[in-house]
């Protein structure tokens, strides 16, 4: 059990760095360019781990060929659209407001599960949804609901689209069979393909021009989006998911601390209420998810 919590702690710590890495790297790259390079690195890292875990190269090729089409839609949602919306939000929006909207995805899993898996939400699921949106509203408006920050609403709307896409990815990816790391490799490979197509028709290929941006890219591609998935899988293999899953809601708390420490982001006391509501919603959603097997 101790090893499980160590792996989970490593994963949560890495996910909490997403806002910092996104802000640093998108100074040199557009969100699309950052997404492409990050997906390529993540696919390489996950591919290497999958090769080491596979009994033979032939079985690796067979598994990849079998799951290639099945992973296309989840790969688009979870490794392309989600991160594209997220990186755009951190590049141009208020980091803490983006952070809270980002972590609506566990709540949205409960909300979308009846549409995707035909499971019923129930009172607990509804409570989680209401708390999650309340937390986002508190942070986005800084507690002043009569003065909505109209300039931030389009950005937060884009981030919300990303949260919806990751919730759908989480629901759809459950039905993809095969070895875990190989499936994750396919997800990131599809994310790289979609990113490349978009970049070629939009911003064009580019590499970071500063050491900080290179460091952020390598950290994000290799660990935050790469090895963290392996750590998360190992944690879930070593302990019951019901004991491990709630730890994910520590990530927004840590991320808020990093934004304040590294970027001097203004921390309004009302954020504590918003973050508290968001974390409470996530914890409740996790309990509801276990009941509806979301």
């Amino acid at each position: 059990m101790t090893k499980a919590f160590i792996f989970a702690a490593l994963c949560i710590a890495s996910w909490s760095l997403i806002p910092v890495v996104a802000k640093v790297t998108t100074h040199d790259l557009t969100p699309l360019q950052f997404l492409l390079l990050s997906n390529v690195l993540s696919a390489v890292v996950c591919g290497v781990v999958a090769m080491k875990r596979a009994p033979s190269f032939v079985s690796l090729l067979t598994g990849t060929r079998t799951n290639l089409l099945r992973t296309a839609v989840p790969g688009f949602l979870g490794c392309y659209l989600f991160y594209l919306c997220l990186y755009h939000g951190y590049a141009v929006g208020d980091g803490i407001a983006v952070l809270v909207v980002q972590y609506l995805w566990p709540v949205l899993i409960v909300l979308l599960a009846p549409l995707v898996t035909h499971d019923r939400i129930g009172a607990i699921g509804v409570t989680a949804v209401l708390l999650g949106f309340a937390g986002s509203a508190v942070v986005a408006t800084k507690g002043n609901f009569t003065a909505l920050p109209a300039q931030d609403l389009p950005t937060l709307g884009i981030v919300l689209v990303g949260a919806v896409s990751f919730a759908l990815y989480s629901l759809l990816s459950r039905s993809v069979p095969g070895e875990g790391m190989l499936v994750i490799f396919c997800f990131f490979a599809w994310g790289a393909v979609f990113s490349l197509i978009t970049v070629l028709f939009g911003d064009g290929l580019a590499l970071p021009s500063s050491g900080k941006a290179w460091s952020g890219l390598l950290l994000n591609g290799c660990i935050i989006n790469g090895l963290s998935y392996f750590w998360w899988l190992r944690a879930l293999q070593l302990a019951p998911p019901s004991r491990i899953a709630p730890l994910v809601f520590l990530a927004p708390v840590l991320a808020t601390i990093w934004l304040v420490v590294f970027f001097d982001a203004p921390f309004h006391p009302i954020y504590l209420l918003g973050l508290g509501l968001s974390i409470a919603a996530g914890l409740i959603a996790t309990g509801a998810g276990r009941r509806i097997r979301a």
Side-chain angles (χ1 to χ4, degrees):
M1 186 69 71
T2 301
K3 288 185 178 179
F5 282 108
I6 291 175
F7 280 120
L10 288 171
C11 186
I12 298 308
S14 66
W15 285 352
S16 73
L17 292 172
I18 290 177
V20 174
V21 169
K23 279 187 169 293
V24 169
T25 311
T26 50
H27 279 304
D28 281 23
L29 300 170
T30 67
L32 270 175
Q33 294 165 343
F34 178 34
L35 179 60
L36 169 61
L37 296 175
S38 181
N39 272 330
V40 170
L41 284 173
S42 298
V44 170
V45 170
C46 293
V48 169
V49 175
M51 288 179 63
K52 290 185 176 181
R53 292 167 61 88
S56 67
F57 187 69
V58 174
S59 66
L60 187 71
L61 290 178
T62 302
T64 303
R65 186 167 55 251
T66 301
N67 287 321
L68 197 58
L69 292 179
R70 294 173 179 173
T71 54
V73 173
F76 172 82
L77 292 170
C79 299
Y80 172 71
L81 184 58
F82 168 63
Y83 285 113
L84 179 61
C85 296
L86 191 60
Y87 295 158
H88 172 77
Y90 282 122
V92 303
D94 178 82
I96 295 178
V98 170
L99 178 68
V100 174
V101 175
Q102 170 195 348
Y103 276 94
L104 282 176
W105 64 261
V107 179
L108 290 168
I109 287 177
V110 177
L111 183 64
L112 295 173
L115 302 177
V116 179
T117 64
H118 305 293
D119 292 316
R120 302 182 67 178
I121 300 178
I124 295 178
V126 172
T127 301
V129 170
L130 293 176
L131 281 176
F133 278 102
S136 297
V138 167
V139 174
T141 63
K142 299 180 177 62
N144 184 3
F145 295 99
T146 62
L148 291 173
Q151 71 278 8
D152 290 338
L153 291 181
T155 298
L156 296 180
I158 291 173
V159 177
L160 180 60
V161 170
V164 172
S165 70
F166 196 79
L168 289 173
Y169 156 79
S170 300
L171 292 169
L172 295 175
S173 61
R174 298 185 313 163
S175 61
V176 179
E179 200 278 324
M181 283 306 302
L182 181 58
V183 171
I184 292 171
F185 160 75
C186 292
F187 289 154
F188 279 117
W190 277 114
V193 170
F194 291 123
S195 303
L196 177 61
I197 293 172
T198 310
V199 165
L200 291 178
F201 282 95
D203 300 333
L205 298 172
L207 294 174
S209 59
S210 68
K212 287 184 178 180
W214 269 112
S215 298
L217 174 63
L218 292 172
L219 178 62
N220 191 74
C222 296
I223 297 179
I224 295 175
N225 286 352
L227 291 178
S228 68
Y229 281 76
F230 173 72
W231 294 333
W232 190 245
L233 283 175
R234 287 296 294 146
L236 294 177
Q237 290 168 352
L238 294 171
S242 60
R243 296 287 301 277
I244 298 298
L247 294 177
V248 72
F249 303 107
L250 295 175
V253 177
L254 291 174
T256 301
I257 295 173
W258 306 148
L259 286 171
V260 173
V261 171
F262 292 112
F263 292 99
D264 295 322
F267 187 87
H268 302 278
I270 195 66
Y271 285 167
L272 292 174
L273 174 60
L275 287 169
L277 289 171
S278 180
I279 294 170
L283 292 173
I284 293 174
T286 300
R290 292 197 295 271
R291 290 175 175 83
I292 65 175
R293 296 181 182 180

